[in-house]
Amino acid sequence: MALDIKLNKDKTKLYAFLDGEIDHHSSVFLRTDIDLNITLYKPKALFIDFSAVTFMDSSGIGLVMGRYKKMNEIGGRVYIQNPPNHIKRVMLLSGVNRLAKIVNADMISEEVETLEEGAK
Amino acid sequence: MKKVQNEVKVRFLSASENESFSRTLVCGFALSLRPRVDELGDIKTAVSEAVTNAIVHGYRSTVGYIDMLLRTYDDRSLYIKIRDRGCGIADVKKAMEPLFTTAPEEERAGLGFAVMESFMDKLLVKSEVNKGTTVIMIKRIVGIDGYKTEKQN
Ligand SMILES: Nc1ncnc2c1ncn2[C@@H]1O[C@H](COP(=O)(O)OP(=O)(O)OP(=O)(O)O)[C@@H](O)[C@H]1O
Ligand SMILES: [Mg+2]
């Protein structure tokens, strides 16, 4: 599991690109890393990108719900970006898409800075 | 009576690395039924839910063994039994309700059983407090060759 965090120029949007398999084992590290950046930058929106996620169980739902709570505290929103079909199924089954909207973006249109290079 | 075609038994420790090991193992075992990619995905997710439950709830802050029994039957069904000897569940019916969780502070969503139920054809949960929990899941595999009838190939 790798995580790549990016921030847009005016530091209002935080992007978390997930890569690999999300389960209970890997979600602990993802949660810690994303939350650290939420605390640091207090973004208005958090985009969690699932395009490179190959597997996800309900731990991924917990991950989105937890980030929703955290962003809600600072008045920000969470978006589920580019989930592949198998991931989308789990999202829809849980109804978490009512808290965090599913969006499809071809590419990030704005300039972003890389904060962290995905660690294992 | 349907006949057993193949069987595997494994025992592994309740270490969180074994979540990915166990679902990969079940996938490998199921390959003989020539499942479709989406069927494999369903199986993987359901196994991950059951094994994670044994690790995070059943054995909580302890470590114990998880026993897995896998079978394929001649009616193209895959049988998965996952058993822990952990704390057990007092009220199984309640535990299986969507969004019910005893570990919200750990970011559990309370959806594991709902996922198992919707991704597999059959889900059976037996549990006894302080004895442990057994989860049985069965799924009929249509497969890439598209078997639809009850009859064997
Ligand atoms: N093997 C087990 N041993 C003991 N308790 C269990 C076991 N499996 C499930 N439970 C109990 O049943 C509840 C519901 O399980 P379920 O998998 O549906 O949700 P969860 O594990 O709490 O959250 P999620 O699976 O969405 O991360 C758990 O919170 C736990 O109390
Ligand atoms: Mg669970």
Side-chain angles (χ1 to χ4, degrees):
Chain A
M1 188 77 219
L3 173 68
D4 188 10
I5 300 239
K6 290 187 159 70
L7 193 68
N8 73 335
K9 267 274 152 57
D10 61 3
K11 298 191 166 36
T12 52
K13 293 177 186 167
L14 190 67
Y15 294 88
F17 293 86
L18 314 184
D19 187 335
E21 306 202 320
I22 306 177
D23 59 11
H24 154 252
H25 182 71
S26 66
S27 65
V28 179
F29 128 81
L30 293 175
R31 180 198 317 175
T32 316
D33 247 28
I34 296 172
D35 284 359
L36 174 81
N37 286 289
I38 294 177
T39 308
L40 277 178
Y41 299 104
K42 299 196 169 36
K44 292 226 174 336
L46 166 68
F47 292 83
I48 310 178
D49 189 285
F50 288 85
S51 42
V53 175
T54 50
F55 171 84
M56 187 186 92
D57 64 17
S58 64
S59 307
I61 304 299
L63 182 75
V64 174
M65 279 171 40
R67 306 298 68 68
Y68 168 81
K69 277 190 204 136
K70 186 123 182 123
M71 286 298 289
N72 209 28
E73 280 166 19
I74 58 165
R77 288 178 178 279
V78 178
Y79 296 91
I80 298 164
Q81 184 168 282
N82 299 334
N85 277 337
H86 55 281
I87 308 277
K88 206 166 169 180
R89 273 185 71 201
V90 186
M91 298 286 186
L92 295 178
L93 176 80
S94 70
V96 74
N97 52 304
R98 286 195 291 264
L99 306 177
K101 217 173 130 189
I102 296 179
V103 292
N104 287 299
D106 284 345
M107 230 193 300
I108 304 168
S109 49
E110 49 196 330
E111 262 185 84
V112 288
E113 292 173 31
T114 299
L115 299 173
E116 233 172 285
E117 223 45 278
K120 168 73 204 174
Chain B
M1 264 298 273
K2 55 185 189 181
K3 277 200 321 233
V4 176
Q5 276 187 327
N6 193 8
E7 181 179 281
V8 163
K9 280 183 193 175
V10 273
R11 165 171 280 202
F12 53 90
L13 277 179
S14 61
S16 64
E17 297 97 292
N18 287 333
E19 291 158 12
S20 74
F21 162 73
S22 59
R23 58 179 186 257
T24 308
L25 184 98
V26 177
C27 267
F29 179 77
L31 282 183
S32 67
L33 294 169
R34 294 167 57 76
R36 296 191 313 244
V37 175
D38 62 307
E39 289 173 322
L40 268 183
D42 290 355
I43 296 162
K44 245 184 164 177
T45 314
V47 169
S48 192
E49 297 296 350
V51 170
T52 303
N53 278 353
I55 295 171
V56 303
H57 305 298
Y59 290 117
R60 207 121 259 279
S61 41
T62 63
V63 178
Y65 282 114
I66 296 171
D67 286 306
M68 199 157 70
L69 171 66
L70 308 173
R71 280 187 190 141
T72 51
Y73 285 92
D74 61 357
D75 67 348
R76 302 191 48 78
S77 58
L78 173 69
Y79 171 101
I80 304 165
K81 180 157 113 179
I82 294 165
R83 175 175 188 187
D84 68 64
R85 281 142 215 271
C87 68
I89 306 170
D91 186 343
V92 174
K93 201 165 165 251
K94 177 140 205 200
M96 290 177 75
E97 280 169 21
L99 301 179
F100 176 86
T101 181
T102 49
E105 73 291 340
E106 284 156 41
E107 300 201 340
R108 308 315 309 168
L111 287 162
F113 282 129
V115 166
M116 292 180 241
E117 205 146 34
S118 90
F119 285 9
M120 302 295 281
D121 294 339
K122 207 167 189 175
L123 169 66
L124 227 126
V125 183
K126 287 185 278 183
S127 191
E128 206 177 321
V129 173
N130 294 328
K131 288 255 169 70
T133 303
T134 303
V135 172
I136 293 172
M137 301 184 281
I138 298 168
K139 189 177 180 74
R140 174 77 63 84
I141 305 300
V142 173
I144 48 177
D145 309 307
Y147 293 99
K148 287 218 178 68
T149 58
E150 300 272 274
K151 298 201 181 75
Q152 44 175 308
N153 41 313

